[in-house]
Amino acid sequence: MNDKVNYQRELDEIRALFGYDFMALALAEPAEYHYVIKWKYASGNLNERFKDIVLQSGRGIAGMVFKTGKPFMFASVEQDVPRDAMFNYPIIRTERLTSLGAVPVWNDTRVAGVLLGGYRNDQRVTLQMMQELNELAHLGIGALNGKEYIPS
């Protein structure tokens, strides 16, 4: 499948360009009565467990970004996420992330995916980095054109 190669190559390039330890792309898939969001592609991943994470809209980092269409950031997982809430964010545990940012990837005025970049060390995602990641997502990734719905 040609798309898979393109998404993987783009993620590898984005991760190298921005210097993230981990980069992932979650995509929405139709389920029986609604959509589920799955992490489909990753670069710099520790293992393949990210592929087992399935989220409903509004759940987890990808689910929240997908539902709201707004970027999401934990500058410091240790400071921003209470220990008893960590189970709500399986990608953090699976990839041992210490800081992360996620932005919506639009396609034909709908959120079709979520792009996440994160660190496993003392580096922190900043608001400037989030803005750069968001701008990149608006250029489009793979088959997703980045075109956002702007109400008039």
Side-chain angles (χ1 to χ4, degrees), residues 1-10 41 142-143:
M1 180 180 186
N2 201 14
D3 279 348
K4 183 174 184 172
V5 174
N6 292 341
Y7 284 119
Q8 189 62 55
R9 186 184 71 238
E10 283 192 59
Y41 305 96

Side-chain angles (χ1 to χ4, degrees), residues 125-145:
V125 174
T126 65
L127 291 173
Q128 173 70 29
M129 294 166 85
M130 288 292 296
Q131 184 175 345
E132 291 167 358
L133 201 58
N134 206 28
E135 288 170 5
L136 179 123
H138 275 85
L139 296 175
I141 296 174
L144 307 177
N145 63 24

Side-chain angles (χ1 to χ4, degrees), residues 40-139:
K40 294 293 235 174
Y41 305 96
S43 178
N45 45 307
L46 297 174
N47 52 54
E48 296 291 310
R49 291 192 334 226
F50 70 91
K51 291 180 178 179
D52 296 331
I53 299 170
V54 179
L55 302 163
Q56 307 298 318
S57 180
R59 301 287 193 159
I61 294 161
M64 287 187 293
V65 173
F66 184 81
K67 182 177 182 177
T68 65
K70 305 248 184 281
F72 183 87
M73 179 175 100
F74 283 140
S76 168
V77 168
E78 186 177 21
Q79 293 173 9
D80 297 342
V81 184
R83 278 217 170 293
D84 62 350
M86 194 64 84
F87 71 93
N88 290 318
Y89 310 105
I91 196 71
I92 293 174
R93 288 192 332 267
T94 301
E95 290 296 329
R96 296 190 211 131
L97 300 176
T98 57
S99 179
L100 62 94
V103 297
V105 181
W106 295 81
N107 191 56
D108 295 334
T109 70
R110 295 186 65 206
V111 177
V114 175
L115 181 65
L116 179 142
Y119 294 110
R120 295 187 183 96
N121 54 29
D122 293 337
Q123 268 187 288
R124 296 288 172 247
V125 174
T126 65
L127 291 173
Q128 173 70 29
M129 294 166 85
M130 288 292 296
Q131 184 175 345
E132 291 167 358
L133 201 58
N134 206 28
E135 288 170 5
L136 179 123
H138 275 85
L139 296 175

Side-chain angles (χ1 to χ4, degrees), residues 3-39:
D3 279 348
K4 183 174 184 172
V5 174
N6 292 341
Y7 284 119
Q8 189 62 55
R9 186 184 71 238
E10 283 192 59
L11 271 187
D12 291 340
E13 290 171 1
I14 295 166
R15 186 171 72 89
L17 177 70
F18 286 100
Y20 287 106
D21 294 331
F22 175 73
M23 198 97 228
L25 179 65
L27 298 173
E29 291 185 350
E32 192 171 352
Y33 298 109
H34 47 359
Y35 283 94
V36 294
I37 299 108
K38 291 181 163 186
W39 295 106

